[in-house]
Amino acid sequence: VKPGTYAVNLRPKTETVIIGLGAASDIVLDGGNASAVVSTSGEDVLLAHLTVQKGRANEVGAGIFAENSTLELVDVVVRDNRSDADGAGIGLDNAELLADRVTLRNNVSQRDGGGLYAYQSPVSVVRSQIWHNEAQTGGGVYLWSATPHTLAFSSSVFQGNQASTGVAVYLRGEQGSGSTAIHTSFATLENCVVIDNQSTDTAVVDGVLYSLQGEIDVESTIFAKNQAQALVATYTQTLSFVVPVHDLLFDDTSAALTGQLVGDPGFGVFIDNGSPDDDVFSLRPASIAADVGHPDAFDADGSRADIGLGGTDGPAHRYGRDDDGDGMSDGWEVDFGLNPATNDSGDDLDG
């Protein structure tokens, strides 16, 4: 698809691949605030290098809805969608999501899952941004599964999301009740940054992460400047639990977890102004989060993995390295579109 803005209401009748010929911001699929932009039932869909925006839905999935299918997204922005129910950005029903370099931004649901709502659907999200989404429950994502599924997020940022419960992530799993209930939803956050997410209801025990009869494993992740009563909240402690490993907490109003690293992670750039566009979460030299991630994970240079996005699947080059000797750190070059393996200082227009 060539650059341009296209008014669409796509309903694929067969396996569909749509690839934008340019940057994601240059190819826009626009729902005109009238209907879902892309909706597939039973047909696999791959979208790459484009933006999905201004969808509207009375039920699940205003930007993209997928059921009984596989949805693959690569370098896709899903923004400014509205749902009167769930999953304003993306709604899944018995589907599979594979997402790489996806931005879910400014999506608003009246009920659950502002950025993403996944029911009975395995989810794999890497190198992505879940920014400034809103819902009553699960501002960033709402994950609901009554049977075991993999729900995995790695090297991703949850920033500025809002909800009354499960501000960034709400995990719901149901099978049985009372003493016979068992965990049926399992989610992982690995090498993520969870920052500046805010509760909209101080009257409830909200939780930046909320688990209802499910398990959330958190590994090598940074929590910073979140505003909620608790970092982790559970409906029933005996049925819901969180296993934090090698995480970092910084300037967070929610309750701290014992045994975790505490302090300023030393982000490349963080301007606390409510806008994610100004922030770079690569680590600066001498960061306390460098080389202290999970002991079994390693960076590209063979050193122990970092906490945060500098881990094994994140930007491999930190601000403290300059492999090509051009005077610009590798982290800066990766974050601003330059090549960390080539002396391209001439392309740095401000010198």
Side-chain angles (χ1 to χ4, degrees):
V1 178
K2 294 181 179 180
T5 298
Y6 302 88
V8 297
N9 177 12
L10 297 178
R11 301 294 185 268
K13 300 301 183 183
T14 186
E15 183 176 340
T16 299
V17 176
I18 302 176
I19 299 177
L21 300 177
S25 59
D26 296 333
I27 299 92
V28 179
L29 307 183
D30 192 308
N33 295 313
S35 62
V37 183
V38 179
S39 182
T40 180
S41 179
E43 304 296 343
D44 295 345
V45 171
L46 185 153
L47 305 177
H49 313 306
L50 51 80
T51 294
V52 175
Q53 70 177 30
K54 296 183 179 178
R56 185 65 189 250
N58 294 324
E59 295 298 331
V60 179
I64 304 173
F65 174 71
E67 65 176 350
N68 301 314
S69 57
T70 296
L71 174 64
E72 187 171 358
L73 306 177
V74 179
D75 184 28
V76 171
V77 178
V78 182
R79 64 177 301 164
D80 301 322
N81 300 284
R82 301 290 183 268
S83 171
D84 294 333
D86 312 312
I90 299 174
L92 306 175
D93 184 348
N94 287 277
E96 179 180 15
L97 173 64
L98 304 172
D100 183 3
R101 288 168 291 138
V102 169
T103 297
L104 304 178
R105 181 172 186 172
N106 296 341
N107 302 289
V108 178
S109 296
Q110 295 301 311
R111 294 193 313 209
D112 304 327
L116 168 66
Y117 175 92
Y119 174 71
Q120 292 287 84
S121 301
V123 170
S124 175
V125 176
V126 300
R127 298 185 295 176
S128 295
Q129 292 81 40
I130 298 149
W131 286 346
H132 289 253
N133 303 284
E134 299 179 27
Q136 181 68 22
T137 305
V141 301
Y142 185 103
L143 311 169
W144 180 10
S145 180
T147 55
H149 285 105
T150 299
L151 307 163
F153 299 83
S154 65
S155 302
S156 296
V157 177
F158 294 79
Q159 183 176 6
N161 300 289
Q162 296 186 18
S164 64
T165 306
V167 183
V169 177
Y170 188 103
L171 176 66
R172 176 179 178 182
E174 295 179 352
Q175 183 170 321
S177 60
S179 62
T180 63
I182 62 174
H183 300 293
T184 55
S185 288
F186 300 88
T188 61
L189 272 67
E190 180 179 3
N191 289 109
C192 292
V193 173
V194 182
I195 186 168
D196 200 26
N197 300 281
Q198 300 183 11
S199 169
T200 58
D201 188 351
T202 58
V204 299
V205 179
D206 35 39
V208 178
L209 311 179
Y210 189 97
S211 177
L212 171 62
Q213 293 184 213
E215 176 182 337
I216 305 176
D217 292 335
V218 183
E219 182 177 297
S220 300
T221 289
I222 296 173
F223 295 89
K225 296 184 177 295
N226 298 290
Q227 298 182 32
Q229 291 188 44
L231 177 57
V232 177
T234 61
Y235 180 71
T236 306
Q237 289 288 349
T238 57
L239 299 179
S240 307
F241 53 93
V242 174
V243 184
V245 180
H246 303 290
D247 302 304
L248 184 148
L249 308 171
F250 172 62
D251 195 17
D252 203 309
T253 64
S254 54
L257 299 174
T258 59
Q260 304 305 308
L261 190 64
V262 177
D264 188 341
F267 292 129
V269 179
F270 176 64
I271 303 173
D272 192 6
N273 62 358
S275 172
D277 298 309
D278 302 320
D279 302 327
V280 176
F281 293 119
S282 296
L283 302 178
R284 289 185 175 275
S287 166
I288 63 172
D291 301 328
V292 292
H294 195 284
D296 295 331
F298 299 92
D299 284 332
D301 62 359
S303 64
R304 182 169 165 176
D306 303 334
I307 294 176
L309 301 186
T312 52
D313 294 322
H317 307 284
R318 297 197 308 273
Y319 270 57
R321 294 174 52 184
D322 182 14
D323 288 347
D324 55 15
D326 60 2
M328 297 180 290
S329 73
D330 295 344
W332 179 268
E333 294 194 72
V334 168
D335 290 326
F336 290 94
L338 300 177
N339 189 340
T342 301
N343 188 331
D344 46 12
S345 56
D347 295 331
D348 182 21
L349 299 181
D350 64 0

